Amino acid sequence: MKKTAANLRNLVLLLALAGIVSCEGPKGDPGETGATGATGTTGATGATGATGATGAAGAAGQNGKDGNANVTIINLPGAGITWVEGEYLGRPSNVFALTNSAVNDNIINHGTVLGYCFMMEEWFHLPLTWEDVDGTVRQYIVHTYSPNTITLYAFQTGGVLDPTGAVEEYRFMLITDKTVTGSKGVSAGDNILSKLKEAGVDIDNYYQVMDYFGLKY
């Protein structure tokens, strides 16, 4: 009898649970996914700003070294000279005339020709004057120039001078500068020499002249 009563209680409980479960409605279908919202429109690009004002110009650089002079170098080996006896200002002299078209109108009218000779391992400016210890004998080497020609003269006390073997090389520096405005009555050549002197250049010093014009030795 007790067993029957227990079974009945269990049955009642099962029925009660079944009733609770039976009260839940069927599971509904999943709802549809909502549509994605439209992407917003990109804003228009702003207008380009006005160009800034041009900056002030920088300070001017230093002036370069003057380059208004034209220089031509003529080399003459001493061994290549054939001297001819003539005269210089009325005195007996050996003479050699070098023909070269570089001695043009620019040189004659606006320039000068500096001459140098190389002997005893040194450059000497022309005209060259040498005398012995007691001054009884003097020797000279002089140059002049004219259109298309440079002329050398060699003489000494008592007659002509033959410097062959003593002078290894002659070198002539043809300088022209059309910008030189000389003083009235002063030659263009003298004005160029004055300009060199004002620049502190000793024309007797071959290397100073070459350095001034930026030339290689």
Side-chain angles (χ1 to χ4, degrees):
M1 196 64 185
K2 291 180 179 180
K3 186 176 181 180
T4 302
N7 289 336
L8 288 174
R9 286 196 300 272
N10 291 337
L11 179 61
V12 172
L13 290 172
L14 289 173
L15 290 174
L17 291 172
I20 293 171
V21 172
S22 64
C23 288
E24 294 181 3
K27 193 172 185 178
D29 296 330
E32 295 183 0
T33 302
T36 302
T39 302
T41 304
T42 302
T45 302
T48 302
T51 302
T54 303
Q62 294 181 349
N63 292 331
K65 183 178 180 179
D66 291 341
N68 51 16
N70 297 315
V71 182
T72 301
I73 302 294
I74 298 176
N75 298 319
L76 174 64
I81 293 178
T82 301
W83 295 100
V84 177
E85 189 170 343
E87 64 176 34
Y88 176 76
L89 299 179
R91 63 190 304 172
S93 174
N94 268 334
V95 181
F96 177 76
L98 172 66
T99 301
N100 195 302
S101 61
V103 191
N104 53 31
D105 289 342
N106 283 335
I107 296 299
I108 302 300
N109 299 323
H110 305 286
T112 190
V113 177
L114 298 181
Y116 298 88
C117 65
F118 188 75
M119 56 187 295
M120 297 181 293
E121 302 299 321
E122 187 176 351
W123 285 103
F124 294 90
H125 179 237
L126 299 180
L128 174 66
T129 302
W130 176 88
E131 64 179 30
D132 61 6
V133 177
D134 58 10
T136 57
V137 177
R138 291 186 178 182
Q139 297 179 334
Y140 306 87
I141 301 177
V142 180
H143 80 289
T144 62
Y145 61 95
S146 57
N148 302 313
T149 306
I150 297 174
T151 305
L152 280 169
Y153 301 90
F155 54 93
Q156 62 183 342
T157 303
V160 301
L161 170 68
D162 186 357
T164 303
V167 177
E168 298 179 34
E169 182 181 353
Y170 298 87
R171 189 164 292 179
F172 303 100
M173 195 177 301
L174 283 58
I175 306 169
T176 179
D177 187 353
K178 290 184 178 181
T179 66
V180 171
T181 54
S183 303
K184 187 175 181 180
V186 179
S187 69
D190 288 340
N191 278 292
I192 290 177
L193 297 181
S194 295
K195 188 175 181 180
L196 290 171
K197 184 177 181 180
E198 291 172 0
V201 178
D202 180 5
I203 63 171
D204 289 338
N205 190 315
Y206 169 79
Y207 299 102
Q208 284 189 23
V209 178
M210 293 290 281
D211 287 340
Y212 176 79
F213 290 113
L215 302 174
K216 293 182 179 180
Y217 303 149

